[in-house]
Amino acid sequence: DLLHACVLVSFFISPHCTDLMEVTVVDTGDLPPGTIISFHTGTIRRHAQIEKNKAINLTATSSEPIRVDLMAQLGTHTFDMVPGQDVYEVPITTGDASGREVKLKVQIRNAPDKAEANEEVAAAKEGEEEQGVVPGSPVKKLQTALMMRSYLDNHDVLRQMQELLQEMVSHRPEDPIDYMIQRLEQVCRESHGVDLDVIDGEAASAGGAPALPAPAPAPASAPEAAAKKPKKEDSDSESDDDEDAPDLPPPPPPGVVKKRTSVSDEAYGAFNQRKAYEPKVIPKDDSAKARIREILQQSWMFKIHTPENMNIIIDAMSEKVVEKDVKLITQGDSGEVMWLIEEGSLECYKTIDGKQVLVKTCVRGDVFGELALLYNCPRAASVISAAHCMLWELDRETFKAICYEAAQSSEQPEYEGFTRPGGSAAAASSSAAASEEKPAEEKAADSDSDSGDDGKEPEAPKPRPVPAGKPRRQGVSAEAMNGNDTNWVPPVYPKTPEERKQLSEIIRTSHDSKMHMLFGSVSKDTFEKIVDACESKVFEQGQHVIEQGDVGDFFYIVKSGFFDIFVSKGQDPPKKVFQASTGFAFGELALLYNAPRSATITAAERSEVFALDRTAFRNLVIKSSEAQFKQRVEFLNGVDVFQVLNESERASLAEVLEEEEFADDEAIVEQGERDDKMFILLTGKAVACIKGEQGEVEVMTYATGNYFGEIALLSGEPRKASVYAVGPCTCLYIARPTFMRVLGSLSSFLERNIGRYAKYQDAISNGVTDEPAAEEQDDHGEEHEGGQQQPAAKKSVRKRERASENLENLKSTAKLEKDEAPPETLADKVAQDFKNEALVTPAAEFEVPGAQMMTFGGLVLGQKFTMDKVIHAKTAAEPEKVNDGDDKFCWNAPSKLKLGTDIGVVCQKGQKSASDPTPNQDNFFVFQKDGVTIYGVCDGHGPFGHLVSFRLVQTLPDKIAKSSYYGKDWEQALKEGFLEAQKDLCEFCKLHDINIEASGAAGSVLVLEEQTVHIAFIGDARIMLGSWNRRDSRMIFCTTDHKPELPEEKARLEENGSEVREIDPGSYRIYLPGSKFPGLTMSRAFGDTACGGVLREPEYHKFLMQPTDQWYAIVASDGVWEFLEGEEVCNLTAKKLRLKGPQETIKFLVSASRKRWNHCCGEYCDDITAVLIQWNADNKESKTNHSLTVKRPDH
């Protein structure tokens, strides 16, 4: 049965295609009626039941695919659109035992009413401009967010998703995605509140729903539908080209009046239709019916019902008798029934400011519990019987079918957080009089006036009476900002410097992703004001911070302690779903929406929080974001190159530009590097320099508003020049994919300058002058990059003198090794080993079945200084040649991260002496299988260190993957893998007569499983874990070397008969007692069997990464860490990684390391290997979520 079957189909739009497209199913194959088809283009989604010749309009660009779903996962089919072809076949495998194939045919062509749609877009934009709304601005985004929130509220999406997540956390299924799909399918089958058939922005119930909804009629044929529906309606839903616009149904055109299908969450569509109501009849005698009728006629909710409806209500009511002190309703619970009071009284209590307050006493004729049915919201108060009571109970289904519309149109005065039955006589009489003066048609229209479906500007509703005292908060689903409140002053709560630092660190380094979402983009000044506005509060053990169902006004950040989070559902006892500790936050919905609390949060021990109120957040964050956006738009208005853009395009550019700060003399771009970014100087100055025979000379200066880097952006070629900051400066930048999407029209304008740098090279070859560089013009008046046209002038350049790095304090602990055997003897032995294929050829026994990626370095005889490692890659991914010397592998793999993973690798030979015959003794591996990725570096040492490291990069991933603890206990799996690799190494070397008494390797391994980073290491090959996020750029962790002078290590070595000696101040080595052999510098290493106590058991650490964390790791040999500590490496690489990507960053780090070796050790330089892993890399051009770039050897 294909009713809930699923196939994924992608077809890519050719560049000639227009934005508005029409997709028609011309052949449904054997798919049964009712199968749902879903078209996706970015944020736009269209759902429909499969129907032959039914046209669906889609908004798409030439760069994004359209995805087609048939509600499931049976297969994948991808095709490119071909110019001149508009009908395409989509094969679908049924998935049953027969395995038969059904072919769905779709026709894709330009929509006929694009011109009309464009006119409406222009009219809409003109209307926005008249109102002062800048397209793409935070105000527009806030409006969009409010529309989305309203839509989600009206269709119960938020409640359903909240319940779904709570159930998933409680059950903790092994496959959360499959669990959610099954749960949502169950909701679709059981719920009356799902409207999936939203086509062309129009609800399936467009014709309006009667008081007693009946099943929708069969869909009309395509010609009939075209005749019945105005053509303009199609374009309405697709006219907005703004990528951030939500896929929400707009109001229908004037003249089409649709009745709103729901108020809060119960919508009925063609896919999941609400069944016709079948009246319930609960037997009663005539006297009971008469009593009920008398009471109903006194109630505000039932006064206007027809006799027929009144009879249905009376028949459906059931009698309920309760004694005194019985709680019928608990605040915050969901509700399925309401009650009418015949006799007795009940008291309504509401939690206000943490206290139970009596807010209402209900007596004969009153109703209670109706709000939960009317608005589908949690119970607004707790209700307890004050005496013996006789009640009449009415169920939700009857209420929605018979009472709902009448209850909506009745006057409902407000009363301290919930609707109070009755009201003042004056208000009631006034309302009744006003109602009587209106024709019946106007009364019906008034009941739905807030839906916006009449196509006219609605009149402002009459304000409801508000009781004296506490004012009612404005807004229903999301509050509107009062942008004119200029008198508001941010609160300042005194804090010690330590508390300010603590709060800043918590926000900046929290693992709670919402912290970065809320505060990650605010300016430094605004951030300080937010810190000032946070108030410290203490909660004792057992004290509630938040109670489910209450109104919330604060956002909380845990300063210390623990808080238990409980969720109640119906009559079930509360369930603990999470425990928040230091750094976590809760209550954020109170900052964005006027929503009741969705959980109860209780202090598990005496705990402290920082609290931020809604007003402070909305004024500081939203207003400052709007101001920052306007400032950026004004800045772009003054940049000459962007004068060819219209206001909307400049606003779109302002929205996507990113910002970066540079220190004095810091390189913004460097000659020869490869990246894809164009820069605009926001503040400060910069200078461009080119390296030539005369050294590095200045060729151009830049001031605020100038731009540079457009050549690399357009062509992808290496940088033609370096640009350095002159004093502190700030740049805005844009990457190639974003540029082509937003500013493709500027390409031809920027291409004019591509040949300019060749002219500068001519100037350099003519000599270097001492005159200052100037923004220059050639004889033809060509405009230079970033500068306005100036009178022609003679070209002049001057030599660039940069401040050199301070390397004077660097000291080396490396031993400048001399060959212990005569060079020719060792050379002969190395050459002899290369004739043994078992030593230098990858072993097939270590190929792990099912591995998607296995890459490691090979061995080559006769390598020279800086030569790159030969690569062995066992993967289905074909390498792409990039950057004139790199291999790039791209593949898809399961991942819990939001974005992709980019990996860069450099492995180059050092130089120990002019006659050193050994190959590069470093090695690395990258291994991936079933969503688990393992990275490793082995740093070999001794005469046969190259053979040791080569064996280890094959055995380590194999032994770890085959451990019985793999995927269950990573600490044990890594320990077992290390020990098994050592065992194999000893057996292998014994078999092939390789002496490893003084040869071995340090080893470091990093594992990423889902969101957890596992680190295991021995020796001095370190791993640094850091954050490359601009607002949170920092080192998270760095391993420390296993040195023999460490107390624990020294004690173990000496207990096992080894001797630890200090040969130079601060430099210790391990020897056999009374000898000068072997002189090992590490207390843990693979191989090195001469000395007892040298350990192979790794040190282990783990870290939890959130799905959106912008983290990175560097796994490197001692060639990097000899002169660079973890903090310094992070400072060197984090910004570089943001701007240049992993491969350019790792090349830069290797170059910086080699420079330090040269300063301290002259011609001596260790082998250098570094693997950089960048998580959540936003590579918009890639169709895969993993990439590995490795420098390939020139030979």
Side-chain angles (χ1 to χ4, degrees):
D1 182 4
L2 290 181
L3 182 58
H4 295 292
C6 224
V7 68
L8 173 64
V9 182
S10 298
F11 46 94
F12 295 90
I13 312 305
S14 301
H16 69 280
C17 287
T18 56
D19 290 342
L20 191 60
M21 305 178 58
E22 183 177 87
V23 179
T24 305
V25 178
V26 295
D27 189 347
T28 63
D30 295 332
L31 294 175
T35 301
I36 300 300
I37 188 168
S38 174
F39 295 86
H40 308 254
T41 63
T43 57
I44 307 300
R45 177 176 296 188
R46 291 286 179 268
H47 301 289
Q49 290 178 335
I50 282 194
E51 181 180 340
K52 190 174 181 180
N53 297 325
K54 189 171 190 176
I56 299 175
N57 279 358
L58 298 172
T59 299
T61 68
S62 60
S63 61
E64 65 181 354
I66 296 180
R67 197 176 85 222
V68 184
D69 292 327
L70 292 180
M71 296 292 284
Q73 292 177 351
L74 287 182
T76 300
H77 182 67
T78 304
F79 60 88
D80 292 323
M81 293 185 62
V82 179
Q85 179 180 346
D86 61 355
V87 177
Y88 301 86
E89 280 192 351
V90 179
I92 304 168
T93 304
T94 60
D96 55 18
S98 66
R100 62 191 179 90
E101 188 176 86
V102 176
K103 290 189 178 179
L104 180 72
K105 287 187 180 180
V106 295
Q107 183 181 54
I108 308 169
R109 58 188 178 184
N110 297 344
D113 55 355
K114 177 175 174 59
E116 186 176 350
N118 289 339
E119 290 177 4
E120 295 189 5
V121 171
K125 290 183 177 178
E126 183 179 350
E128 289 177 348
E129 291 170 1
E130 290 176 358
Q131 299 175 24
V133 176
V134 180
S137 70
V139 167
K140 176 74 177 295
K141 285 191 168 185
L142 181 59
Q143 293 172 346
T144 299
L146 295 178
M147 291 170 59
M148 294 173 67
R149 175 70 189 206
S150 177
Y151 175 82
L152 295 175
D153 283 345
N154 287 346
H155 293 275
D156 198 26
V157 176
L158 295 180
R159 183 182 67 82
Q160 294 281 6
M161 292 307 297
Q162 179 183 349
E163 291 181 358
L164 172 62
L165 292 175
Q166 290 170 358
E167 291 179 8
M168 187 170 66
V169 171
S170 299
H171 291 87
R172 298 186 180 181
E174 291 185 4
D175 188 343
I177 302 300
D178 183 62
Y179 178 86
M180 287 191 289
I181 291 173
Q182 294 181 15
R183 182 68 180 84
L184 289 174
E185 287 178 347
Q186 180 183 350
V187 171
C188 287
R189 291 192 296 269
E190 297 176 354
S191 173
H192 291 295
V194 178
D195 183 2
L196 289 181
D197 192 4
V198 179
I199 304 172
D200 298 332
E202 181 177 60
S205 53
L212 298 176
S221 65
E224 292 174 354
K228 292 180 181 178
K229 185 169 62 174
K231 184 178 180 181
K232 183 177 180 181
E233 201 168 333
D234 287 331
S235 63
D236 282 345
S237 64
E238 296 297 331
S239 62
D240 193 354
D241 289 335
D242 192 322
E243 8 175 270
D244 292 321
D247 185 23
L248 298 178
V256 180
V257 180
K258 293 191 300 180
K259 202 173 193 65
R260 184 170 58 188
T261 57
S262 69
V263 168
S264 60
D265 73 324
E266 299 196 20
Y268 309 97
F271 170 67
N272 194 354
Q273 297 169 355
R274 179 183 177 186
K275 298 178 181 179
Y277 171 70
E278 297 179 3
K280 297 181 179 179
V281 178
I282 298 176
K284 303 175 187 67
D285 57 32
D286 291 341
S287 62
K289 292 181 179 179
R291 297 198 316 271
I292 298 173
R293 190 182 305 276
E294 178 185 357
I295 302 168
L296 289 176
Q297 290 172 347
Q298 299 174 11
S299 172
W300 62 275
M301 183 180 293
F302 302 101
K303 288 180 179 179
I304 62 174
H305 280 291
T306 63
E308 293 79 7
N309 282 353
M310 189 73 80
N311 289 335
I312 295 174
I313 294 169
I314 293 172
D315 284 340
M317 282 186 159
S318 60
E319 186 178 18
K320 185 177 183 69
V321 178
V322 296
E323 300 301 326
K324 183 181 178 181
D325 297 328
V326 175
K327 180 182 281 190
L328 279 82
I329 291 178
T330 300
Q331 184 178 346
D333 285 357
S334 58
E336 298 298 324
V337 296
M338 59 161 287
W339 292 274
L340 174 70
I341 305 175
E342 180 178 356
E343 51 178 66
S345 63
L346 298 100
E347 295 175 338
C348 303
Y349 292 89
K350 186 169 178 61
T351 303
I352 301 176
D353 296 330
K355 299 180 180 179
Q356 291 289 324
V357 179
L358 177 63
V359 294
K360 169 69 176 172
T361 299
C362 298
V363 295
R364 175 181 169 84
D366 285 341
V367 293
F368 63 94
E370 78 285 355
L371 286 186
L373 310 187
L374 184 59
Y375 299 112
N376 205 37
C377 61
R379 295 294 195 185
S382 297
V383 180
I384 302 174
S385 57
H388 173 87
C389 299
M390 180 176 290
L391 313 173
W392 292 99
E393 184 177 283
L394 187 65
D395 64 284
R396 173 187 288 272
E397 187 177 1
T398 304
F399 177 89
K400 297 297 286 188
I402 308 300
C403 309
Y404 177 77
E405 293 183 9
Q408 266 204 310
S409 58
S410 298
E411 186 68 22
Q412 303 167 49
E414 301 300 330
Y415 189 80
E416 194 63 36
F418 67 98
T419 302
R420 176 169 61 91
S424 66
S429 62
S430 172
S431 175
S435 178
E436 288 175 0
E437 292 174 2
K438 294 183 179 182
E441 299 88 317
E442 289 187 33
K443 290 182 183 178
D446 285 350
S447 68
D448 283 320
S449 62
D450 61 338
S451 68
D453 291 340
D454 58 0
K456 301 178 182 179
E457 185 69 26
E459 295 182 2
K462 298 176 71 173
R464 292 177 175 175
V466 179
K470 182 178 178 181
R472 180 174 173 80
R473 181 185 300 154
Q474 301 289 316
V476 174
S477 63
E479 298 178 284
M481 276 288 297
N482 182 1
N484 300 318
D485 185 8
T486 58
N487 297 323
W488 183 81
V489 178
V492 177
Y493 294 99
K495 297 177 184 66
T496 64
E498 292 75 18
E499 287 179 321
R500 293 183 64 84
K501 182 180 179 181
Q502 181 187 13
L503 177 55
S504 299
E505 285 295 312
I506 287 175
I507 294 175
R508 190 171 64 88
T509 64
S510 173
H511 286 178
D512 193 342
S513 58
K514 71 171 73 74
M515 301 280 275
H516 300 293
M517 293 171 58
L518 294 174
F519 306 117
S521 60
V522 301
S523 66
K524 292 181 179 178
D525 180 61
T526 301
F527 186 85
E528 291 302 317
K529 291 180 180 178
I530 291 172
V531 172
D532 286 334
C534 286
E535 179 185 6
S536 182
K537 294 186 176 183
V538 176
F539 292 89
E540 301 297 334
Q541 182 177 2
Q543 186 177 355
H544 292 330
V545 184
I546 286 174
E547 290 195 55
Q548 186 171 346
D550 283 0
V551 174
D553 292 304
F554 285 93
F555 172 71
Y556 299 95
I557 302 170
V558 182
K559 179 180 178 182
S560 63
F562 296 90
F563 293 88
D564 293 330
I565 301 177
F566 297 91
V567 174
S568 297
K569 184 177 179 183
Q571 302 299 322
D572 295 337
K575 292 182 180 179
K576 179 179 175 180
V577 297
F578 189 69
Q579 186 176 72
S581 58
T582 302
F584 279 82
F586 49 84
E588 68 277 4
L589 288 181
L591 301 180
L592 302 172
Y593 308 111
N594 186 6
R597 297 296 195 186
S598 59
T600 297
I601 300 180
T602 306
E605 61 184 35
R606 191 176 192 275
S607 306
E608 193 170 357
V609 298
F610 290 108
L612 180 69
D613 68 84
R614 173 192 286 103
T615 305
F617 173 83
R618 295 179 72 82
N619 278 280
L620 289 173
V621 178
I622 296 181
K623 281 190 176 181
S624 66
S625 298
E626 174 66 13
Q628 184 181 28
F629 175 81
K630 289 181 178 178
Q631 290 173 2
R632 189 163 291 180
V633 171
E634 290 174 3
F635 169 76
L636 295 177
N637 289 339
V639 178
D640 293 330
V641 70
F642 300 128
Q643 296 307 305
V644 298
L645 303 177
N646 59 37
E647 183 179 352
S648 176
E649 290 171 328
R650 282 195 291 271
S652 297
L653 175 61
E655 190 177 16
V656 298
L657 284 172
E658 298 187 61
E659 186 176 309
E660 194 65 67
E661 297 172 352
F662 297 90
D664 180 33
D665 211 39
E666 184 177 358
I668 302 172
V669 300
E670 293 192 65
Q671 187 173 345
E673 282 186 338
R674 287 181 179 271
D675 62 77
D676 62 351
K677 295 174 179 63
M678 183 178 87
F679 294 83
I680 308 161
L681 202 58
L682 181 63
T683 62
K685 297 180 180 180
V687 60
C689 303
I690 295 180
K691 293 178 183 177
E693 294 180 359
Q694 303 293 332
E696 193 171 54
V697 297
E698 297 180 8
V699 296
M700 176 173 278
T701 58
Y702 300 106
T704 299
N706 295 161
Y707 65 93
F708 52 89
E710 74 284 1
I711 295 176
L713 179 142
L714 293 172
S715 67
E717 295 180 1
R719 295 288 187 186
K720 304 296 184 183
S722 298
V723 178
Y724 302 102
V726 179
C729 73
T730 303
C731 290
L732 303 175
Y733 67 89
I734 184 171
R736 182 188 296 119
T738 308
F739 177 88
M740 300 309 295
R741 176 169 52 86
V742 179
L743 297 177
S745 59
L746 267 181
S747 299
S748 58
F749 181 86
L750 296 177
E751 284 171 354
R752 296 187 217 162
N753 299 322
I754 284 185
R756 184 176 67 250
Y757 291 98
K759 301 175 184 178
Y760 287 141
Q761 291 283 11
D762 294 338
I764 293 170
S765 64
N766 290 332
V768 179
T769 75
D770 294 328
E771 300 176 18
E775 299 176 28
E776 297 170 22
Q777 196 76 21
D778 62 22
D779 295 337
H780 297 30
E782 179 183 344
E783 184 180 10
H784 286 316
E785 181 177 5
Q788 296 182 354
Q789 292 190 3
Q790 303 289 340
K794 180 181 177 181
K795 289 182 171 60
S796 65
V797 293
R798 65 184 174 89
K799 192 168 183 179
R800 169 70 173 169
E801 299 293 342
R802 295 190 65 209
S804 60
E805 291 185 80
N806 181 15
L807 304 178
E808 297 302 322
N809 295 325
L810 291 179
K811 295 181 180 179
S812 174
T813 59
K815 179 182 178 181
L816 305 188
E817 298 179 6
K818 303 293 182 181
D819 299 332
E820 297 189 8
E824 58 275 11
T825 304
L826 180 58
D828 290 344
K829 174 61 176 170
V830 171
Q832 181 182 358
D833 290 340
F834 268 84
K835 295 177 181 178
N836 184 349
E837 290 190 0
L839 296 178
V840 296
T841 304
E845 63 186 289
F846 300 123
E847 294 183 13
V848 180
Q852 292 174 277
M853 169 59 68
M854 180 57 190
T855 301
F856 56 93
L859 291 175
V860 174
L861 187 63
Q863 278 190 311
K864 302 299 182 182
F865 184 42
T866 73
M867 279 188 176
D868 294 289
K869 200 85 166 175
V870 67
I871 304 302
H872 295 286
K874 301 181 184 300
T875 175
E878 290 295 328
E880 175 189 357
K881 306 301 181 184
V882 296
N883 300 345
D884 301 326
D886 295 340
D887 281 338
K888 185 174 183 178
F889 300 87
C890 298
W891 72 99
N892 279 310
S895 175
K896 294 294 185 180
L897 303 182
K898 182 179 180 182
L899 299 175
T901 299
D902 288 349
I903 309 155
V905 178
V906 172
C907 184
Q908 294 182 343
K909 178 171 167 48
Q911 180 171 268
K912 299 180 177 64
S913 69
S915 59
D916 178 21
T918 60
N920 183 352
Q921 294 187 317
D922 284 357
N923 217 318
F924 74 93
F925 67 85
V926 177
F927 170 88
Q928 185 175 68
K929 180 185 177 184
D930 299 332
V932 175
T933 314
I934 309 178
Y935 309 89
V937 165
C938 294
D939 183 353
H941 57 261
F944 308 110
H946 56 288
L947 298 178
V948 173
S949 63
F950 181 63
R951 185 70 176 183
L952 289 172
V953 295
Q954 300 175 73
T955 58
L956 272 172
D958 175 73
K959 302 301 183 184
I960 294 171
K962 291 178 179 177
S963 169
S964 59
Y965 298 103
Y966 181 86
K968 302 172 184 176
D969 184 338
W970 278 104
E971 182 174 8
Q972 291 299 318
L974 289 164
K975 177 181 176 181
E976 186 175 283
F978 274 53
L979 296 178
E980 287 296 316
Q982 169 70 11
K983 180 180 177 181
D984 168 86
L985 177 67
C986 293
E987 293 173 352
F988 177 78
C989 291
K990 183 178 180 181
L991 177 65
H992 294 281
D993 194 25
I994 302 298
N995 187 343
I996 56 172
E997 287 185 338
S999 294
S1004 291
V1005 171
L1006 182 148
V1007 178
L1008 178 68
E1009 183 200 34
E1010 296 187 346
Q1011 298 163 222
T1012 305
V1013 177
H1014 305 270
I1015 292 173
F1017 68 101
I1018 58 176
D1020 57 5
R1022 299 183 198 169
I1023 297 177
M1024 187 217 73
L1025 188 64
S1027 168
W1028 59 273
N1029 181 284
R1030 180 172 177 262
R1031 302 284 180 181
D1032 183 28
S1033 181
R1034 61 190 168 92
M1035 187 188 83
I1036 297 169
F1037 171 77
C1038 188
T1039 61
T1040 55
D1041 299 345
H1042 291 122
K1043 297 292 187 181
E1045 63 266 28
L1046 297 175
E1048 283 188 20
E1049 304 293 305
K1050 184 178 181 181
R1052 185 187 68 249
L1053 290 165
E1054 292 177 344
E1055 285 176 5
N1056 286 272
S1058 295
E1059 183 179 340
V1060 177
R1061 301 179 201 160
E1062 184 177 15
I1063 58 171
D1064 289 311
S1067 178
Y1068 294 79
R1069 291 179 179 268
I1070 308 170
Y1071 296 93
L1072 291 174
S1075 75
K1076 296 182 179 181
F1077 179 82
L1080 183 63
T1081 61
M1082 293 174 288
S1083 58
R1084 301 191 193 192
F1086 292 106
D1088 293 311
T1089 57
C1091 295
V1094 176
L1095 198 64
R1096 286 89 198 178
E1097 183 176 323
E1099 185 177 329
Y1100 171 81
H1101 301 270
K1102 74 173 180 178
F1103 301 87
L1104 178 63
M1105 177 168 53
Q1106 297 301 315
T1108 57
D1109 280 345
Q1110 293 176 320
W1111 285 12
Y1112 74 111
I1114 294 176
V1115 188
S1117 66
D1118 187 49
V1120 169
W1121 308 111
E1122 180 68 26
F1123 303 107
L1124 290 170
E1125 295 300 323
E1127 286 283 1
E1128 188 175 2
V1129 167
C1130 184
N1131 293 336
L1132 285 171
T1133 57
K1135 182 188 297 183
K1136 203 82 172 178
L1137 184 58
R1138 289 195 296 271
L1139 299 176
K1140 311 296 181 182
Q1143 191 62 11
E1144 288 297 330
T1145 302
I1146 208 68
K1147 290 178 182 178
F1148 167 77
L1149 179 62
V1150 169
S1151 175
S1153 301
R1154 190 172 290 122
K1155 185 186 300 183
R1156 286 158 173 76
W1157 277 100
N1158 179 261
H1159 176 80
C1160 292
C1161 305
E1163 294 183 354
Y1164 183 93
C1165 180
D1166 200 357
D1167 302 328
I1168 299 179
T1169 298
V1171 179
L1172 191 154
I1173 310 105
Q1174 181 185 20
W1175 291 299
N1176 279 316
D1178 191 7
N1179 191 347
K1180 296 183 176 66
E1181 290 184 317
S1182 177
K1183 297 178 182 178
T1184 59
N1185 63 358
H1186 284 75
S1187 74
L1188 166 64
T1189 306
V1190 60
K1191 190 86 169 65
R1192 67 173 182 264
D1194 296 328
H1195 56 283

